[in-house]
Each structure stands twice: as structure tokens, then as C-alpha cells.
Amino acid sequence: MIKKSLFIILFLFSYTFAAADKLEYEKATYTGETFYGDPHGRGTMNYNDGETYSGQWKFGLEHGRGKVEYKNGDVYAGQWKEGRQNGKGVYTYAGGAIYTGMFLDGLFEGEGVLEYADGRKFVGTFKDDYKYEGKMTLDDGTIVEGIYPKEGKTDGKYNITYTDGSTDIWTFKNGEFVEW
């Protein structure tokens, strides 16, 4: 009971000093709640280069839910932790591709779906910002299932399912097709 009461008092105390402010930085302007001169709570940072972040802040860093619009037209909306994309989110590329899934330290990591502008779609696991293991549906409906190496050299077996239901197994070694 004492811990709960202490938490409530600290919570109320911390937000007693939150205020809507406008902070001017050399390369950005922040408008929103602050705590001892740092963005804290809800607010928007408008960078001079055209980038904008709007969402939750914690002690000067993006933390919680937020949305960033990059100067190149890309948009990320989702969870943040200590200034980096962490947790569930949606990254929309200016060119039309959309990634929906998990992020870790700003990279695609874990389960996700990457829909390309040309109609292809990858559903599976990502590691360090790359497709790792899953199913790629091509624009003609063919499904290619397997492990996708980071280096780009295909190695291993891929299960191919064509739109008519027929299947093949393709084997690659060092990026070269070996056998059906």
C-alpha cells in the first residue's frame, strides 16, 4: 500500500511541473509539455530540415507512441524507446512500400510484413533490418518460401508454390542455382 501511495504522489508531483512550452534549438523547434527544460509528455519537434516528430517524450527523447515524417517523404508511426523505434510500428516509404511489424533500435527485427509498391509481399521474420525467413509472394502470385541471407547470396533450399498449385524445390549454393 505504501509503494502504491508513493507512486501516485511521485506521478502527480512529476506532472505538476509539466507545462506547454516552446523551446528553440539550433536545428529545431519543440512545442509541447516539458519537465525542467526538456521535452517530456506530449509534444512536437519541427526540425529545420523539414523532419517532424509528434508524440510522446521522456526526458528529452522520443519515448512511447509517436510519428515521424522524414524530409524524404518516409513516415514511421509506432512505438519508441529512448529515442529509437522499438516495438510495434508501421514504416511507409515515399515510394509506396510499407513495413508493418516489430522494430528494435530503429531496425526491422522480429515478425513483420513488407509490402512492396510493385505488388510483392514478404511475410516472416526480419533480422537487423533484413528479410530473414519467410514467404515472399511475387506479383504473379507465386510463393517463394525459405531463408533470405543478408549478404544477398542465396544459399539453401526454397519451396516454390505456383498459382496453379504445383510446387518445386529450388536449391542454391553461393548464389548460384544448383538444382530443381
Side-chain angles (χ1 to χ4, degrees):
M1 182 67 175
I2 293 173
K3 284 184 181 180
K4 186 175 182 181
S5 298
L6 183 59
F7 173 78
I8 291 171
I9 290 169
L10 288 174
F11 178 80
L12 292 174
F13 176 79
S14 70
Y15 280 94
T16 301
F17 293 100
D21 282 326
K22 185 172 186 177
L23 304 174
E24 297 286 338
Y25 296 97
E26 185 178 327
K27 296 183 179 183
T29 302
Y30 173 81
T31 306
E33 297 174 323
T34 61
F35 183 69
Y36 289 106
D38 284 328
H40 191 81
R42 295 203 53 78
T44 300
M45 185 76 76
N46 292 302
Y47 296 90
N48 296 345
D49 67 2
E51 188 173 301
T52 301
Y53 171 84
S54 183
Q56 297 173 315
W57 294 82
K58 183 177 178 183
F59 303 118
L61 296 173
E62 300 92 335
H63 193 90
R65 296 211 37 87
K67 177 180 178 181
V68 63
E69 297 178 29
Y70 296 98
K71 64 181 179 180
N72 68 357
D74 292 358
V75 177
Y76 170 78
Q79 297 173 325
W80 293 78
K81 182 179 178 186
E82 299 173 356
R84 303 193 116 203
Q85 301 157 343
N86 271 288
K88 292 181 182 179
V90 176
Y91 194 103
T92 304
Y93 291 89
I98 300 171
Y99 171 80
T100 305
M102 299 302 293
F103 288 78
L104 180 64
D105 294 330
L107 303 176
F108 302 165
E109 184 76 25
E111 296 300 312
V113 176
L114 181 57
E115 299 176 77
Y116 295 86
D118 64 8
R120 293 175 297 143
K121 181 178 180 178
F122 178 82
V123 178
T125 304
F126 290 78
K127 281 189 177 182
D128 296 324
D129 225 24
Y130 289 90
K131 300 182 301 277
Y132 176 65
E133 182 175 9
K135 293 181 181 182
M136 173 73 82
T137 303
L138 304 179
D139 58 352
D140 69 355
T142 301
I143 298 171
V144 180
E145 183 177 4
I147 295 176
Y148 296 79
K150 182 176 181 176
E151 298 81 31
K153 285 197 173 187
T154 306
D155 211 12
K157 294 183 185 247
Y158 290 81
N159 297 317
I160 313 298
T161 304
Y162 300 99
T163 54
D164 66 2
S166 62
T167 61
D168 273 327
I169 297 176
W170 292 357
T171 304
F172 290 84
K173 185 163 179 117
N174 296 321
E176 299 290 324
F177 179 73
V178 178
E179 66 180 88
W180 292 95

